[in-house]
Structures are given as structure tokens and as C-alpha cells.
Amino acid sequence: MIGTAAAEVSLAATRGRSWMSDLRAGRHPQWIAYAVAAVGWVVLVGVEIIRLRTTGSPEVMADMHVGHDMTGGMAGMTESGPHTHGVTTHIVSLLAMLAVMTPMVAADARYAALRAPSGYRRRVPGWVLGGWAVGWLPLLIVTAFISLALGKLVETTEFGEAQLLVAATAVAIAWQWTSRKRLSPARCHRTLAPPLPQTQARTACLRYGLGLGNECGISCAPMMMVMMLAGHSVFVVAPLTAVAWYERRRRPHHDPGTVATSLMLAVVGVVAVLLAVVSAS
């Protein structure tokens, strides 16, 4: 009875608080993850708007269009000239794609921050996210170079972009059914209570974020490949991010939702192929 009464008092005390008051009080230190994601979405939407507005202009599309025809990226990596802007857009889009994934570890960062001393609590999410980004980047770079190499394949052979997207989607769906894929989201549910000394806490949070980034990369790399081959189109990135969020919010070690995610990936793959066909026509 005493415990129930205390819980009711605690609940009543929180009902009148707004999210903003909690934010000012430091109860939502993970806000930085959502701010980074918002910037990423603004960049991706901006690139998509520019792409849609410049459709039909061969000169501008030759500069920007790294993704949909995938023929400018490799040239831009090795030559100066008109493709340089396209490679810059490609790199910015890659970083934006990484940014929109940061909310996946917001809960992990909040858990660690709220268990840290108040003196450096607000810094903990930055440490966790920094380690997470470092853990993600190597796999992101490898995936990007693979996508550019596949773009060169499309350029030099009769293998079409639509066929490449079908193959990438099939790989992403097959990956959903592997035990390693099931293990990665489960490991994303690991938590951390940082040590009390700030120096040790920073090291522990960076290491913790690095592990989260590695597992996120292993889990989502096939979906990231589809995003890259689709030219970072918002119409592909947004639903695939939703799939990753759906996986992150479930309990993968008990209920992986493999059929649901596979169906969603198939639908997104169809959208990506249709975009490629329309772009090529």
C-alpha cells in the first residue's frame, strides 16, 4: 500500500510537467540526437527538392546526379570538373543518412545520462553519439564505395539500375532472416551506467557508443546499400528509416518481426525500382 501511494504521488507530480520543463531540467538529455536527425532530414529533403526541380536539365543533372544513374560518382572520385559537385552532394547525403539514424540510440544515451552525476550529465549523450558515429563510419564508407563500384558496373555493362536495386533489396530481405541480424538489434538494447569519475565515464561512454555503432552498422548495412543505390531519395530513405525504427523499438530476441520487416522492405524495393525506371525514362 505504501509503495502504491508513493507511485501515485510520483505520477501526479509528473502530470503537470511539460516536455519543455523536463528538457530545461535536464530530464531529456538525449535531445541532441533528435536535433542532429532534424538537420539530416532537412539536408535530404533539400537535396530531393533540388533533384526534382532540376529533372530534365541535362547539365545540372550531370553535376548532381550521383545516385539515380550512379555513373557520376566514380568519375567524380577520380577526376576534377563537373562531377565534383555531384560527389560533394553524395558525401553530404551520406552524412545526412547517418544523421537521421541518431534517434535509434537516443534511449541508450538517455539511460546512460540519467545515471551519471549531474555535473557532467548533459555531456553523456554527446559522448555516446560520438562513439556511435565512429562505430558506424567505417562500414558506411565501405558501403558507399561498394555502391559506387556497382554504379560503375551499371555504366560499363548491360546490368541495369533497376536490376541492381532488385538484387540489393533481395539481399536486404535475406539478411532479415539470419541469426546475426537478429543478434545485432538485441545488442542495441544493452545499457550503461557510467562510472562516477568524469574521465572514466567519458571513456566508457565512447566505448559503449562504439559498440552500438558497430551493431547498428551490421544490422542496417543492407538497407543503407538500398538507400545509396536509390540515390539517397527521401522516398526510399524515409520508409527504410521507419523499418529500422520499427526493429529498434521491438524486442528482437523474443519477437523479431521478420515477416513484417521483409514485407516492408519488399514494398520499399518496388518503390525504389519504380523511381529508377522513371528516372531512366
Side-chain angles (χ1 to χ4, degrees):
M1 294 296 291
I2 295 177
T4 303
E8 290 177 353
V9 171
S10 177
L11 180 61
T14 59
R15 281 174 180 165
R17 292 203 311 248
S18 67
W19 194 87
M20 287 302 298
S21 65
D22 282 349
L23 181 63
R24 287 191 295 269
R27 298 188 186 95
H28 294 288
Q30 79 281 12
W31 67 268
I32 186 174
Y34 297 102
V36 171
V39 173
W41 282 118
V42 168
V43 171
L44 288 176
V45 171
V47 171
E48 188 70 29
I49 291 174
I50 294 173
R51 179 184 293 130
L52 292 174
R53 286 186 175 181
T54 54
T55 299
S57 173
E59 294 82 5
V60 178
M61 294 303 286
D63 273 2
M64 285 195 57
H65 206 59
V66 180
H68 281 293
D69 59 15
M70 296 180 296
T71 59
M74 189 62 70
M77 294 294 288
T78 56
E79 301 173 5
S80 60
H83 288 299
T84 304
H85 180 62
V87 172
T88 302
T89 304
H90 189 57
I91 294 173
V92 170
S93 297
L94 284 175
L95 295 177
M97 285 169 55
L98 182 63
V100 301
M101 291 291 183
T102 52
M104 304 296 171
V105 290
D108 305 276
R110 183 174 189 267
Y111 186 97
L114 293 183
R115 282 152 183 82
S118 58
Y120 60 83
R121 177 175 298 165
R122 296 177 187 272
R123 302 176 189 175
V124 170
W127 296 337
V128 174
L129 291 175
W132 175 82
V134 171
W136 236 117
L137 277 176
L139 191 56
L140 184 68
I141 293 171
V142 170
T143 307
F145 273 100
I146 291 175
S147 69
L148 291 175
L150 292 174
K152 194 68 174 179
L153 178 68
V154 171
E155 180 184 2
T156 57
T157 67
E158 296 181 358
F159 199 75
E161 181 186 355
Q163 295 170 298
L164 198 57
L165 283 166
V166 170
T169 303
V171 170
I173 292 174
W175 179 242
Q176 299 294 311
W177 296 85
T178 64
S179 59
R180 188 63 181 87
K181 162 65 181 180
R182 185 171 179 172
L183 179 62
S184 290
R187 286 180 171 175
C188 289
H189 288 267
R190 291 180 296 184
T191 56
L192 170 71
L196 293 179
Q198 182 172 340
T199 303
Q200 296 179 21
R202 180 172 57 247
T203 301
C205 289
L206 289 171
R207 187 183 299 115
Y208 174 60
L210 182 65
L212 290 174
N214 287 334
E215 295 302 333
C216 283
I218 293 172
S219 176
C220 296
M223 288 194 291
M224 295 291 279
M225 178 67 73
V226 176
M227 295 181 194
M228 293 177 192
L229 295 179
H232 321 288
S233 171
V234 172
F235 301 108
V236 176
V237 175
L240 287 181
T241 302
V243 172
W245 182 258
Y246 172 79
E247 290 179 334
R248 180 63 183 85
R249 303 303 294 177
R250 295 177 74 84
R251 298 182 302 164
H253 46 299
H254 294 303
D255 182 17
T258 306
V259 174
T261 55
S262 298
L263 289 175
M264 287 187 280
L265 286 173
V267 171
V268 176
V270 170
V271 172
V273 170
L274 289 176
L275 288 174
V277 171
V278 171
S279 177
S281 61

